[in-house]
Amino acid sequence: MKKIALILLGGALLAGCQTTSSDLTTTANSAVTSATNTATSTATAATSSATSSVTSLTSGLLDTNFPSLSCSAIKQTFVDYEAQVASLESGSGLLATAGVSTASAKAKLDSAYDTAKETATPVMSAKGCSETL
């Protein structure tokens, strides 16, 4: 009698622990969907952030009121810009992974630098600055 009870109990436990292949497939598909959604969301956020960084950096330089700055402050503006550009460029692999064209971003950054330099150089000359850009 004890043997039969143990066999029945073991069978009931085994039946309760079994999962079907469709259960496993559903669970696997759910995990893959979740991981894909997370990766897509992360990439979208990274792309937006990278694009925003380039836009913010270039507009910050282009919106600078150079005539109101001292010679050293003008020079420091360009030094800071170059450091921030170098920081973005060192993360170019991340930009590319996020789908941001590093060549396009670099072109925008260089164009902003050249435009700002064309604006700041005559100001520095008029102020008699010894610093150069």
Side-chain angles (χ1 to χ4, degrees), residues 39-132:
T40 301
S41 176
T42 301
T44 301
T47 301
S48 176
S49 176
T51 302
S52 177
S53 293
V54 169
T55 302
S56 174
L57 189 57
T58 57
S59 66
L61 181 65
L62 294 174
D63 293 340
T64 302
N65 183 359
F66 293 112
S68 69
L69 299 176
S70 68
C71 295
S72 62
I74 293 172
K75 177 68 176 179
Q76 190 60 47
T77 299
F78 283 89
V79 169
D80 292 345
Y81 182 82
E82 290 169 350
Q84 291 170 332
V85 168
S87 176
L88 276 177
E89 288 174 348
S90 70
S92 65
L94 295 174
L95 294 177
T97 301
V100 176
S101 166
T102 54
S104 173
K106 178 76 171 135
K108 286 180 184 179
L109 294 166
D110 288 346
S111 175
Y113 183 91
D114 292 341
T115 301
K117 186 175 177 182
E118 288 174 13
T119 303
T121 300
V123 171
M124 292 181 80
S125 179
K127 288 185 173 218
C129 300
S130 60
E131 293 92 343
T132 59

